[in-house]
């Protein structure tokens, strides 16, 4: 009996080791091409081999910028490097402001930014882009989610003026009459509001400011800026830092890209736009708002103007579009091939599908067609 028991234990141990080994192989290998979506189902994220063109790609490509697009870029890089052997893409998630500085210093092949280059930044880029200049290629769309953590509250509706007064420190408790009026039947606690904003220059901050300035100009009197303009509140670094604080602090509210909310199970605000019903922060609802964007850039520049005051049914108004900032001409010869190859993948049907599956909104087809044409012309 003792011998049988020993054999059973040995078999169990070997079985456990086999399972453990399989899990390690699955985690470390590149064959697991699925990702759990917001609804809990597994979704394919890797492209078919033919969807990535590695022609001209070589060596190491450095890039940096927007933390709002980090989760999308991480997936793109994983898929791209799995298809293009010997090529390394390294994206440092910092902030839009830092990414543009790095681009204009010539230390990265492209930068991610949640707002288009300003005229003075374009002028500065001409020193790096020999014979050309920096241009904006819209690549990632999505909602800026307002994540909240209020004990006992699972659903929350807010309008632009109330959001503005929360973030400019005029509404201080969750049972404020303005919030109660928007949430009939919801028991709101008297918990103090802990509003978190970005500590560094951020395109996400600027896009939230553009929305508040457009939709609630009487309540939000600040000009849109990458630097947080309002008094009060608490600062945290990056979208990840703001999301972590909201997750940890009772009474907290903050803003970040939707994937940070879904990955950490953070509840998000439904926005009362004046439409029939408050609008949820979803990729589909963000796409409805982004589809109304107008191209304001000229030539190869595809900067967009968003409509933050939309009242269209199901259109979520607090949206951002993240641009990849590149030289139209004068890219470094040693990285040009990889820049074009990588961006061709991100703008492809397969690359944009990854966005849909992971909490982002794809760039509308009519705009993305122009993005693909510009990428091919990069020199």
């Amino acid at each position: 009996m003792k011998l049988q028991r020993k054999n059973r234990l040995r078999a169990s141990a070997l079985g456990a080791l086999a399972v453990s080994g399989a899990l390690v192989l699955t985690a470390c290998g590149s064959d697991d091409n699925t990702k759990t979506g917001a609804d809990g189902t597994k979704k394919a994220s890797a492209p078919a081999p033919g969807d990535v063109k590695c022609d001209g790609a070589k060596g190491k490509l450095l890039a940096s910028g927007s933390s709002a697009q980090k989760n999308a870029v991480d997936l793109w890089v994983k898929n791209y490097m799995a298809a293009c052997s010997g090529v390394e893409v390294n994206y440092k998630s910092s902030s839009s402001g830092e990414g543009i500085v790095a681009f204009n210093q010539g230390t990265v092949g492209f930068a991610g930014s949640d707002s288009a280059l300003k005229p003075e930044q374009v002028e500065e880029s001409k020193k790096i882009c020999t014979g050309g200049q920096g241009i904006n290629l819209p690549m990632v769309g999505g909602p800026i989610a307002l994540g909240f953590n209020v004990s006992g509250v699972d659903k929350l509706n807010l309008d632009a003026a109330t959001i503005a007064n929360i973030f400019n420190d005029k509404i201080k408790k969750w049972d404020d009459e303005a919030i109660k009026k928007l949430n009939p039947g919801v028991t709101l606690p008297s918990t103090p509001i802990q509003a978190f904003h970005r500590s560094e220059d951020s395109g996400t901050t600027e896009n939230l400011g553009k929305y508040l300035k457009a939709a609630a100009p009487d309540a939000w009197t600040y000009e849109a800026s990458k630097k947080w303009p309002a008094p009060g509140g608490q600062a945290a670094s990056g979208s990840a830092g703001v999301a972590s604080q909201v997750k940890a602090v009772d009474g907290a509210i903050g803003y970040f890209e939707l994937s940070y909310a879904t990955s950490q199970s953070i509840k998000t605000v439904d926005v009362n736009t004046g439409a029939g019903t408050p609008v949820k922060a979803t990729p589909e609802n963000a796409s409805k708002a982004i589809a109304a964007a107008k191209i304001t850039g000229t030539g190869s520049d595809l900067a967009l103007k968003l409509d933050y005051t939309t009242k269209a049914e199901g259109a979520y108004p607090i949206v951002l579009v993240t641009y990849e900032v590149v030289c139209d001409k004068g890219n470094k010869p040693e990285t040009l091939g990889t820049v074009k190859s990588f961006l061709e993948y991100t703008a492809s049907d397969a690359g944009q599908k990854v966005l849909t599956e992971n909490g982002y909104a794809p760039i509308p087809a009519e705009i993305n067609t122009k993005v693909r044409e510009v990428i091919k012309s990069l020199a």
Side-chain angles (χ1 to χ4, degrees), residues 7 20 35 48 55 59 61 76 113 142 150 152 165 175 187 195 217 223 301 307 334:
N7 286 338
S20 175
K35 181 173 178 69
D55 299 345
L61 172 63
W76 281 336
S113 177
V150 183
N165 284 327
D175 62 352
T187 302
E223 293 301 320
D301 186 78
D307 180 7
E334 61 269 26

Side-chain angles (χ1 to χ4, degrees), residues 109 174 182 188 202 238 269 319:
W174 282 109
L182 292 165
L188 294 162
S202 159
V269 170
V319 292

Side-chain angles (χ1 to χ4, degrees), residues 27-315:
C28 296
S30 60
D31 293 331
D32 181 6
N33 296 330
T34 60
K35 181 173 178 69
T36 302
D39 58 1
T41 60
K42 284 284 188 179
K43 299 177 182 291
S45 61
D51 290 329
V52 180
K53 310 298 182 186
C54 305
D55 299 345
K58 61 182 179 179
K60 186 174 184 178
L61 172 63
L62 298 179
S64 69
S66 165
S67 65
Q69 71 169 9
K70 176 186 184 299
N71 293 334
V73 175
D74 284 351
L75 286 165
W76 281 336
V77 168
K78 175 187 173 184
N79 294 344
Y80 180 79
M81 288 174 56
C84 298
S85 177
V87 180
E88 181 182 351
V89 179
N90 187 330
Y91 181 81
K92 179 185 176 184
S93 170
S94 50
S95 68
S96 298
E98 292 176 58
I100 290 172
V101 168
F103 177 76
N104 279 339
Q105 289 177 342
T107 59
V108 295
F110 71 88
S113 177
D114 304 338
S115 55
L117 293 168
K118 290 180 168 54
E120 61 271 21
Q121 293 170 331
V122 172
E123 194 61 33
E124 188 178 354
S125 74
K126 293 178 181 179
K127 300 174 185 176
I128 299 300
C129 305
T130 308
Q133 65 180 43
I135 58 172
N136 306 281
L137 299 179
M139 198 68 70
V140 182
I144 299 174
L146 297 171
F148 69 95
N149 178 5
V150 183
S151 294
V153 179
D154 294 322
K155 183 177 174 58
L156 187 67
N157 299 327
L158 297 175
D159 61 13
T162 307
I163 295 167
N165 284 327
I166 286 173
F167 279 102
N168 67 16
D169 206 32
K170 291 184 178 178
I171 293 178
K172 299 180 181 293
K173 292 191 175 183
W174 282 109
D175 62 352
D176 188 275
E177 287 301 320
I179 301 176
K180 288 168 68 174
K181 184 178 179 180
L182 292 165
N183 295 273
V186 177
T187 302
L188 294 162
S190 60
T191 308
I193 293 174
Q194 306 286 339
F196 286 90
H197 58 261
R198 293 281 289 275
S199 59
E200 73 285 8
D201 285 5
S202 159
T204 312
T205 295
E206 185 171 15
N207 278 277
L208 175 65
K210 287 178 180 177
Y211 162 72
L212 293 174
K213 182 70 173 176
D218 292 337
W220 194 260
T221 58
Y222 313 99
E223 293 301 320
S225 169
K226 286 186 172 67
K227 187 179 295 295
W228 182 254
Q234 301 178 58
S237 178
S239 292
V242 174
S244 294
Q245 290 296 324
V246 172
K247 177 76 173 179
V249 178
D250 185 26
I253 186 171
Y255 58 94
F256 32 79
E257 196 279 324
L258 182 62
S259 66
Y260 290 92
T262 54
S263 65
Q264 297 191 49
S265 299
I266 297 172
K267 296 183 286 289
T268 60
V269 170
D270 294 351
V271 177
N272 187 331
T273 63
T277 56
V279 187
K280 295 184 178 299
T282 69
E284 296 77 16
N285 292 345
S287 286
K288 291 177 183 177
I290 295 170
K294 306 295 183 186
I295 295 176
T296 57
T298 58
S300 297
D301 186 78
L302 298 177
L304 302 176
K305 182 177 182 180
L306 299 167
D307 180 7
Y308 296 101
T309 60
T310 178
K311 291 180 174 58
E313 292 295 332

